[in-house]
Amino acid sequence: MLQEESDLSLIIAQIVQKLKGSNLYSQLERQAWASLQRPEIKLESLKEDIKEFFKISGWEKKLQNAVYSELSVFPLPSHPAAPPEHLKEPLVYMRKAQGSWEKRILKSLNSMCTELSIPLARKRPVGEQKELLNKWNEMGTDEPDLSLFRPVYAPKDFLEVLINLRNPNYENGDSLSFRTHLGLIQVPLKVKDIPELKECFVELGLNTGQLGIDDSTQVPPELFENEHVRIGQKVLAEQDSAAAQQYIRQGSPTALRAELWALILNISSEPEDVLYYEQLKTNVIQHDLLVDSLIYKDVKLTASNDDYYFVFEDYLYQVLLCFSRDTSVLSHFAYNSASPPKSYIRGKLGLEEYAVFYPPNGVIPFHGFSMYVAPLCFLYHEPSKLYQIFREMYVRFFFRLHSISSHPSGIVSLCLLFETLLQTYLPQLFYHLREIGAQPLRISFKWMVRAFSGYLATDQLLLLWDRILGYNSLEILAVLAAAVFAFRAVNLMEVTSLAAAEAVLADLSTLKVMPLLQIFLFATVT
Amino acid sequence: MWALPVVLHQCLWIMAGKVKWVTDIEKSVLINNFEKRGWVQVTENEDWNFYWFVSQSNKEAYVISLYINNPLLIGGRKFDLRLYVLVSTYRPLRCYMYKLGFCRFCTVKYTPSTSELDNMFVHLTNVAIQKHGDDYNHIHGGKWTVSNLRLYLESTRGKEVTSKLFDEIHWIIVQSLKAVAPVMNNDKHCFECYGYDIIIDDKLKPWLIEVNASPSLTSSTANDRILKYNLINDTLNIAVPNGEIPDCKWNKSPPKEVLGNYEILYDEELAQGDGADRELRSRQGQSQGPRAGRSRDSGRAVLTTWK
């Protein structure tokens, strides 16, 4: 009891500390001072009256949302004596693996840099700055020669690293048993099984209405949809983050989605945010970074060729180029097992005073990175809002998909969850695929790393991401991957090679996500 | 009838192969200019953006439509809609709309500035033209599905205005067919599939650009080929159900199962049949695949003016 209380007070203290530095705090202060003018605020009961004022004017709600936001992002409380690395990642072997992976990426980046004799960063001459400013809204045209650039790494390179992860303290014994894990991931992390997932995702059950299922034409809208939309509008009117998060577990109506996501992520477009984005834009204009070319190349290779997202190509540059310069992103490394790469000013290698984070936001893009932003373009067409939403989605969810950690939403756990679900509930399929040299993870890895962006039809993808926000977890990606395999099991049982298995699973654009998830979790005999 | 694109404040007209540009001209002056060249204005319809002229010398008729210089832009680019409509009979009017239409995007960002007025890649959305642009992409072909458009508009503008837009588009199509119904050859052995070109302006109002009697059935991308293949398949299934030439007494009312990706847009017989508007239209969702039509409450003023 005492331990819980002290944990709680520790969390409260940390959140208060965090919020004290935020814009909201100064706004609340200003509001409190201004409220002294009001007749209902009396000196004798100053504290209660101001609190009452905050409640009525909606400021208490904003504070509640901010606290809820911090709680969602904040890692679980750890031992007060634990060093900060533990917050990033408690397991030593994982930290080591992440460290060596980072070294490899940085080496690859530096060697590309040396080969092409391009500096990591340079200041643009004034003429070039003017040109870029003019071209800001159409950077997709007139691209520079990118043929010599290659992506720093692709998801399959990262998969190889994960496959080789081992816990040095874990001895499995040589004998095979039914417990032996036959998949590619060989680390002993705890993952949920179907009964636990059913409990976790209870709102996806057969008896609960869902958007993505109960809004199809065969179902009269009076049964579920109309009421759901009405509740959604009410949630938005109340501006309550926690309620929105609960609501969106059943899916979001298309017209309300943009606002609901902003509410859940606690994004409000204040003038300061727009100014901050403009400042980032200025940074892009003034300096050219090597990663800019990587971003360009990535967009050209992925989103520009995508049937759904090619229209938004220019927005992607506007968001991603600014993202690389945003140093506020560095704060998420406190709970990310990854660390931002450090680079040294020319000639001062090893001297800490001359170390800078490169790129400024510490995130090196890989092949497919731009696909995290692309679906958001369907919801937000104002660049600074789009930018804020993407940044928040990244520091809450997406970073976990390409760093090595033991977190339940981390990519390692997702892979393990996927393989375990398949091995436990579709053993025949799993065994068959393994025999023909088509380990299922080799096919589904790329889906999960991209959170299915570019593989599903956009409306289905948005329904899936609704649930990611609603449950504040990425586990649903692994469940969906397993559900897709279950759905195409009959065809997969007949293939005899990895290439054929890839072909069966090449096109996911006709899949309906919610029925697949519902059947897999709630309607399959286990 | 040809439709001639005409820009009001910066004018362009194409007459027998000659292109002429006039800048900053008032509509009345423009029309005056046409009349000076021996064209007589027969009628105009501002709601429909058409001006009908007949040439005095050779009695040719020209339809001039004003250039929409405030098109709705997505990703900063201009686009138009290609929708397919099948008419199996004109009297009574029975028409079907293909659910899988597409948007054609320009490869270059839209600008109304005069310096780019003759840049075809900014203003003209025809695939035949855009194909030759530097930034043309062969994978997606600059095409978006109508369901993508709907998702984008619903997400950024709201459901009501989007539904209103699509209702107006349906209205335009039905009205245009009704307008020509009296003069069309109503041979019971005939059917016709039209390609409707529609553009949406920045107030979310749709404008009819033209109706193509022989829409192109060639394909520019893989998805396009699948779409056109299905289009031809579904069209023939409705015109000639079960693959057999129907009896000449057949009333051209195919069973629901063969509609495929078509949905009934307007059925005059049904509409007049029980005095209430029983037109069935299924909701334009994003999922593909055939869907049974769903009857709507006639809560909309638009529906009651359709008879």
Side-chain angles (χ1 to χ4, degrees):
Chain A
M1 201 52 203
L2 205 58
Q3 180 62 25
E4 271 175 41
E5 276 177 26
S6 63
D7 279 346
L8 192 58
S9 43
L10 186 66
I11 298 176
I12 294 176
Q14 283 170 329
I15 293 182
V16 168
Q17 187 68 23
K18 207 80 195 288
L19 287 179
K20 267 202 170 142
S22 76
N23 195 27
L24 182 63
Y25 182 74
S26 36
Q27 282 178 321
L28 282 171
E29 239 186 351
R30 272 204 300 276
Q31 285 293 320
W33 279 109
S35 75
L36 293 177
Q37 312 282 343
R38 304 174 79 92
E40 61 266 20
I41 311 285
K42 301 200 178 24
L43 194 57
E44 314 83 64
S45 51
L46 190 64
K47 199 167 169 182
E48 282 69 38
D49 288 346
I50 293 189
K51 271 196 204 167
E52 189 59 36
F53 166 67
F54 276 162
K55 200 179 257 174
I56 301 173
S57 56
W59 281 99
E60 185 188 86
K61 201 60 188 249
K62 290 204 174 98
L63 179 61
Q64 241 177 9
N65 289 347
V67 171
Y68 192 71
S69 179
E70 290 296 325
L71 279 175
S72 304
V73 173
F74 232 76
L76 304 160
S78 51
H79 195 276
E85 301 93 74
H86 277 221
L87 207 59
K88 289 162 73 77
E89 170 51 52
L91 299 177
V92 176
Y93 74 92
M94 291 264 181
R95 286 208 300 266
K96 282 214 177 94
Q98 173 66 24
S100 46
W101 169 239
E102 275 167 19
K103 280 208 188 72
R104 260 178 71 183
I105 303 177
L106 201 52
K107 202 162 157 208
S108 168
L109 187 64
N110 281 329
S111 66
M112 195 194 315
C113 196
T114 334
E115 255 174 55
L116 303 176
S117 320
I118 298 177
L120 284 175
R122 69 175 174 98
K123 195 169 165 78
R124 285 189 224 268
V126 176
E128 197 184 314
Q129 286 187 32
K130 269 211 187 87
E131 208 188 299
L132 186 57
L133 193 56
N134 285 338
K135 255 190 15 176
W136 180 256
N137 285 324
E138 44 187 355
M139 284 187 272
T141 52
D142 188 37
E143 87 226 34
D145 178 21
L146 299 169
S147 48
L148 296 169
F149 288 96
R150 347 165 265 282
V152 180
Y153 67 96
K156 59 175 166 26
D157 305 315
F158 188 50
L159 178 59
E160 292 304 320
V161 173
L162 298 186
I163 291 174
N164 291 320
L165 261 182
R166 292 289 181 277
N167 181 352
N169 289 337
Y170 184 72
E171 183 48 63
N172 211 353
D174 287 326
S175 55
L176 292 171
S177 72
F178 70 89
R179 277 191 218 284
T180 312
H181 187 73
L182 297 171
L184 293 172
I185 305 291
Q186 294 290 333
V187 287
L189 293 173
K190 172 118 180 53
V191 291
K192 298 187 170 81
D193 56 12
I194 288 196
E196 286 169 320
L197 288 168
K198 271 160 107 150
E199 247 185 72
C200 179
F201 294 117
V202 68
E203 291 86 353
L204 300 183
L206 296 166
N207 291 329
T208 317
Q210 300 294 327
L211 286 184
I213 300 175
D214 299 292
D215 56 335
S216 70
T217 15
Q218 284 79 24
V219 180
E222 301 82 51
L223 275 185
F224 167 71
E225 203 185 341
N226 289 347
E227 183 60 20
H228 192 64
V229 173
R230 208 184 55 80
I231 297 178
Q233 285 160 339
K234 199 148 176 254
V235 168
L236 281 174
E238 292 291 312
Q239 284 289 296
D240 187 331
S241 268
Q245 194 168 325
Q246 179 64 34
Y247 169 79
I248 213 174
R249 292 177 180 188
Q250 291 169 270
S252 164
T254 39
L256 305 179
R257 184 175 277 127
E259 282 180 63
L260 276 170
W261 284 23
L263 180 57
I264 295 172
L265 296 169
N266 205 28
I267 304 277
S268 56
S269 268
E270 306 284 332
E272 299 88 51
D273 303 311
V274 179
L275 266 176
Y276 189 78
Y277 176 74
E278 290 299 318
Q279 180 61 42
L280 291 174
K281 180 176 162 185
T282 316
N283 290 350
V284 176
I285 304 278
Q286 288 178 343
H287 289 92
D288 180 25
L289 298 178
L290 177 67
V291 285
D292 289 353
S293 308
L294 295 176
I295 289 169
Y296 250 103
K297 181 109 192 179
D298 186 46
V299 174
K300 284 290 176 194
L301 284 177
T302 55
S304 299
N305 292 329
D306 189 292
D307 289 325
Y308 295 95
Y309 308 121
F310 72 88
V311 175
F312 304 115
E313 186 183 334
D314 296 318
Y315 284 122
L316 298 180
Y317 298 121
Q318 292 175 12
V319 166
L320 288 167
L321 293 180
C322 290
F323 182 63
S324 343
R325 281 136 176 98
D326 192 348
T327 48
S328 71
V329 174
L330 291 172
S331 57
H332 93 284
F333 285 107
Y335 51 87
N336 182 355
S337 62
S339 298
K342 262 200 263 204
S343 185
Y344 296 90
I345 308 285
R346 212 180 276 269
K348 310 277 188 203
L349 190 69
L351 297 172
E352 280 312 311
E353 310 88 73
Y354 295 94
V356 288
F357 291 125
Y358 185 84
N361 71 342
V363 180
I364 297 186
F366 56 90
H367 178 66
F369 193 83
S370 53
M371 296 304 279
Y372 288 142
V373 191
L376 303 173
C377 298
F378 267 83
L379 301 174
Y380 307 98
H381 54 263
E382 209 261 286
S384 69
K385 187 103 188 245
L386 175 63
Y387 177 75
Q388 281 184 277
I389 298 275
F390 165 64
R391 181 180 60 185
E392 190 61 27
M393 290 285 279
Y394 183 81
V395 300
R396 271 201 207 200
F397 303 112
F398 296 146
F399 75 90
R400 299 200 191 278
L401 296 171
H402 47 267
S403 46
I404 305 178
S405 87
S406 57
H407 194 274
S409 272
I411 188 72
V412 184
S413 304
L414 295 185
C415 290
L416 192 58
L417 175 58
F418 165 73
E419 291 191 315
T420 313
L421 284 174
L422 223 54
Q423 186 179 339
T424 316
Y425 300 103
L426 292 155
Q428 209 182 3
L429 175 65
F430 189 83
Y431 191 73
H432 168 73
L433 288 173
R434 201 171 156 268
E435 284 296 290
I436 61 168
Q439 275 275 11
L441 186 60
R442 288 205 186 277
I443 303 175
S444 65
F445 187 68
K446 53 188 185 289
W447 303 339
M448 292 190 285
V449 167
R450 282 210 206 158
F452 282 89
S453 172
Y455 297 105
L456 293 174
T458 309
D459 64 317
Q460 295 300 311
L461 183 77
L462 293 173
L463 286 168
L464 178 66
W465 286 16
D466 281 342
R467 273 65 177 199
I468 292 181
L469 283 164
Y471 291 101
N472 200 28
S473 142
L474 293 163
E475 286 160 307
I476 201 141
L477 297 176
V479 180
L480 180 61
V484 171
F485 272 74
F487 184 61
R488 300 229 170 133
V490 174
N491 296 45
L492 286 169
M493 284 304 289
E494 298 184 8
V495 301
T496 50
S497 70
L498 173 60
E502 301 252 21
V504 168
L505 294 165
D507 183 7
L508 306 184
S509 58
T510 50
L511 291 184
K512 302 273 170 282
V513 157
M514 298 320 299
L516 278 183
L517 284 169
Q518 219 179 42
I519 291 175
F520 186 76
L521 286 175
F522 296 96
T524 311
V525 176
T526 49
Chain B
M1 296 206 297
W2 355 318
L4 300 152
V6 166
V7 177
L8 235 201
H9 298 292
Q10 295 103 25
C11 291
L12 141 85
W13 81 82
I14 302 171
M15 186 163 69
K18 280 185 281 203
V19 178
K20 240 186 145 60
W21 293 94
V22 183
T23 54
D24 287 315
I25 209 167
E26 294 265 310
K27 189 172 79 186
S28 54
V29 177
L30 172 75
I31 290 174
N32 209 17
N33 278 352
F34 279 118
E35 289 177 341
K36 272 200 255 182
R37 276 160 181 71
W39 297 19
V40 171
Q41 184 175 14
V42 176
T43 184
E44 75 178 58
N45 188 327
E46 294 214 351
D47 285 336
W48 283 82
N49 201 26
F50 287 130
Y51 301 80
W52 190 3
F53 285 81
V54 172
S55 160
Q56 298 266 26
S57 50
N58 51 16
K59 295 295 174 215
E60 277 178 13
Y62 298 106
V63 173
I64 301 188
S65 61
L66 301 177
Y67 184 69
I68 309 287
N69 60 358
N70 61 330
L72 175 67
L73 302 176
I74 298 186
R77 286 180 240 176
K78 178 175 165 179
F79 68 98
D80 78 338
L81 280 171
R82 162 54 62 93
L83 301 167
Y84 295 101
V85 176
L86 169 66
V87 178
S88 51
T89 76
Y90 269 102
R91 298 185 295 272
L93 179 62
R94 196 172 286 125
C95 54
Y96 307 85
M97 169 115 142
Y98 204 60
K99 284 186 271 194
L100 309 178
F102 54 89
C103 308
R104 297 175 289 211
F105 279 86
C106 291
T107 51
V108 178
K109 279 271 186 356
Y110 181 76
T111 164
S113 94
T114 26
S115 57
E116 290 295 327
L117 210 52
D118 43 10
N119 184 347
M120 293 189 300
F121 299 111
V122 171
H123 294 281
L124 300 175
T125 56
N126 313 56
V127 176
I129 292 177
Q130 293 294 333
K131 249 196 328 209
H132 302 289
D134 290 326
D135 293 305
Y136 182 72
N137 182 305
H138 291 270
I139 298 178
H140 52 70
K143 289 182 176 169
W144 235 25
T145 59
V146 166
S147 44
N148 274 346
L149 175 67
R150 199 167 180 131
L151 175 63
Y152 176 78
L153 289 177
E154 278 184 11
S155 303
T156 52
R157 305 274 197 139
K159 193 142 186 168
E160 291 77 30
V161 299
T162 310
S163 300
K164 179 160 166 279
L165 167 69
F166 281 90
D167 282 345
E168 284 178 3
I169 291 176
H170 295 157
W171 189 87
I172 285 177
I173 297 174
V174 173
Q175 288 304 304
S176 63
L177 291 171
K178 278 187 174 178
V180 297
V183 299
M184 281 298 202
N185 186 354
N186 200 33
D187 190 318
K188 62 171 89 130
H189 307 99
C190 297
F191 65 92
E192 200 153 27
C193 180
Y194 300 108
Y196 268 77
D197 289 346
I198 303 226
I199 197 166
I200 306 175
D201 71 15
D202 57 13
K203 315 250 178 325
L204 283 197
K205 180 175 158 68
W207 294 93
L208 176 63
I209 300 180
E210 63 177 351
V211 183
N212 295 286
S214 304
S216 158
L217 293 174
T218 57
S219 33
S220 52
T221 68
N223 277 340
D224 204 33
R225 192 174 61 249
I226 296 172
L227 185 149
K228 301 227 165 110
Y229 175 93
N230 281 315
L231 174 69
I232 298 174
N233 190 44
D234 292 334
T235 306
L236 292 177
N237 277 343
I238 292 182
V240 188
N242 301 320
E244 297 158 359
I245 306 287
D247 189 275
C248 60
K249 294 203 188 51
W250 179 51
N251 71 343
K252 290 205 167 186
S253 199
K256 257 196 200 105
E257 306 84 63
V258 310
L259 286 181
N261 286 316
Y262 273 108
E263 54 186 9
I264 299 177
L265 182 57
Y266 185 69
D267 187 331
E268 193 166 1
E269 249 178 9
L270 275 183
Q272 288 170 346
D274 26 34
D277 208 318
R278 290 248 279 119
E279 175 206 322
L280 299 166
R281 269 183 288 139
S282 72
R283 183 194 289 167
Q284 298 264 4
Q286 283 82 50
S287 326
Q288 290 155 6
R291 272 205 183 150
R294 208 210 284 213
S295 48
R296 289 241 190 222
D297 300 334
S298 43
R300 272 172 259 255
V302 166
L303 288 182
T304 57
T305 63
W306 287 47
K307 283 211 225 116

